[in-house]
Amino acid sequence: MHAYHMSASNAEPRLVHLDCPEPGLGQIQVKVFACGLNFADILMQNSTYQDTPKAPFTLGMEISGVITAIGPEVSGLSLGDRVAVFCGHGGLAERGVFDANRAIKIPDQMSFEQAAAFQITYGTGHVALDHCARLQPGETLLVTGAAGGAGLTAVEIGKQMGARVIAQARGADKLAIARAAGADHLIDADEDLRSMVKSLGGANVVYDVVGGDVWKAAFRATNPGGRLLPIGFAGGEVPQIPANHLLVKNLTVIGFYIGGYLKSHPDVVHGSMKTLLEWFVDGKLQPHISHCLPLDRVAEGMDLLRNRKSTGKVVITMPET
């Protein structure tokens, strides 16, 4: 099989040929049809992601496909099932072996491309906003980087939860995508975020994927008693949080990383995914995929993410074999 692989001796990943192992205890083998790219894949290449495995390994955090073999002690799954797997790595390959407890069956209405774009961004948004931040109907949610994979799903989910959503993104085209996802108010990245949000009454919940100066402005625009979620640092700077300001304004900063939550609170993540799939089947969620590229163009897909040229998700599709 072909795989986009990080070797122990090369700094850059390459498309190589590997043998696919048979599934072991509690594992399944999947013929991969699609793999969603995430900004974390770029961090993994640079060994700066919190869950970077030791090389050699294959990149690709989430996949969709069909089960082709099942190892011992796996229940609830059958050969031929259409599944999505939040695998963490190993997804940018024509086949893969994954832990069965990371797999979910996908509905017939969901394409493989949509399924590969679903678990990480929608799961992050829903668990963070519902379980962690307790977003309430009528509250104001500020989403930064609102046209990217994580931000755009937070806009959709916030609207489904009854919030008024303020979306910040760069440029008219990206803001239009956030508007189509349900944003009530739009703020261009070149505008003064703090003053614009304050003029709209301030934010009760902040979902920030950018960090740096954007975080600082959002922090200052948060109303007393508000909750802030530092989801990512696409701007490159990890912000430092002034504890005295938390005290004065009774603010809560909530750390959330879905990979860690899947290990420590799997029932919460699985329950969230059940809700999200029901919303999808009911037509309440519309995964946005700006680019679908073949496996031999993974590097191009990574560049789209790195240079912020994509919106929603970039998905890699596997060759027919």
Side-chain angles (χ1 to χ4, degrees):
M1 69 174 187
H2 290 97
Y4 198 65
H5 197 66
M6 293 282 293
S7 72
S9 57
N10 290 299
E12 294 295 324
R14 294 182 301 163
L15 195 62
V16 300
H17 188 273
L18 300 173
D19 293 329
C20 182
E22 292 299 312
L25 186 71
Q27 293 182 320
I28 55 173
Q29 184 189 84
V30 178
K31 174 180 169 57
V32 179
F33 281 77
C35 178
L37 296 188
N38 293 273
F39 197 80
D41 290 308
I42 296 172
L43 300 179
M44 238 182 244
Q45 288 187 42
N46 300 329
S47 298
T48 57
Y49 189 61
Q50 59 263 25
D51 266 354
T52 301
K54 185 178 180 180
F57 68 93
T58 296
L59 288 161
M61 299 180 70
E62 57 181 332
I63 63 99
S64 61
V66 171
I67 296 176
T68 50
I70 298 177
E73 297 189 20
V74 173
S75 61
L77 296 171
S78 303
L79 292 177
D81 280 349
R82 301 171 75 246
V83 293
V85 185
F86 178 9
C87 49
H89 66 278
L92 283 168
E94 293 169 320
R95 289 180 186 266
V97 169
F98 311 109
D99 289 343
N101 61 10
R102 290 292 191 101
I104 58 169
K105 295 180 184 179
I106 57 176
D108 293 339
Q109 300 95 321
M110 180 176 275
S111 70
F112 286 117
E113 291 81 8
Q114 289 173 322
F118 200 80
Q119 280 186 284
I120 291 179
T121 54
Y122 280 101
T124 295
H126 188 254
V127 177
L129 293 174
D130 182 56
H131 179 77
C132 296
R134 305 293 184 186
L135 179 67
Q136 299 299 307
E139 288 191 312
T140 296
L141 167 67
L142 169 62
V143 180
T144 68
L152 193 60
T153 53
V155 171
E156 275 192 285
I157 291 166
K159 286 305 295 180
Q160 285 300 315
M161 294 178 66
R164 181 179 69 140
V165 179
I166 303 172
Q168 184 246 28
R170 184 172 300 280
D173 290 345
K174 290 185 176 181
L175 288 171
I177 290 170
R179 170 77 80 186
D184 300 288
H185 302 281
L186 307 174
I187 300 176
D188 193 281
D190 291 330
E191 296 180 281
D192 185 329
L193 180 64
R194 180 197 179 198
S195 64
M196 294 287 288
V197 174
K198 294 287 280 185
S199 72
L200 293 168
N204 303 112
V205 176
V206 172
Y207 189 95
D208 176 49
V209 302
V210 179
D213 289 339
V214 171
W215 166 271
K216 294 173 186 176
F219 186 96
R220 297 177 71 189
T222 304
N223 291 332
R227 292 88 73 202
L228 300 100
L229 295 150
I231 297 297
F233 318 110
E237 180 187 341
V238 178
Q240 302 304 301
I241 299 166
N244 57 322
H245 292 188
L246 297 180
L247 182 152
V248 171
K249 293 179 68 176
N250 293 300
L251 300 177
T252 302
V253 177
I254 307 166
F256 177 72
Y257 159 53
I258 192 171
Y261 233 70
L262 189 57
K263 297 173 185 176
S264 62
H265 299 77
D267 291 346
V268 172
V269 178
H270 293 154
S272 172
M273 196 55 54
K274 181 177 183 293
T275 296
L276 289 165
L277 288 173
E278 289 172 354
W279 285 357
F280 174 85
V281 171
D282 290 342
K284 297 176 180 178
L285 300 176
Q286 301 292 331
H288 178 86
I289 300 169
S290 65
H291 296 80
C292 275
L293 302 171
L295 182 60
D296 60 4
R297 293 172 64 187
V298 173
E300 180 181 337
M302 295 290 194
D303 284 341
L304 288 168
L305 292 182
R306 187 179 293 111
N307 298 319
R308 298 180 179 85
K309 300 295 185 183
S310 62
T311 54
K313 293 283 284 192
V314 176
V315 171
I316 302 300
T317 57
M318 303 303 151
E320 294 291 335
T321 56

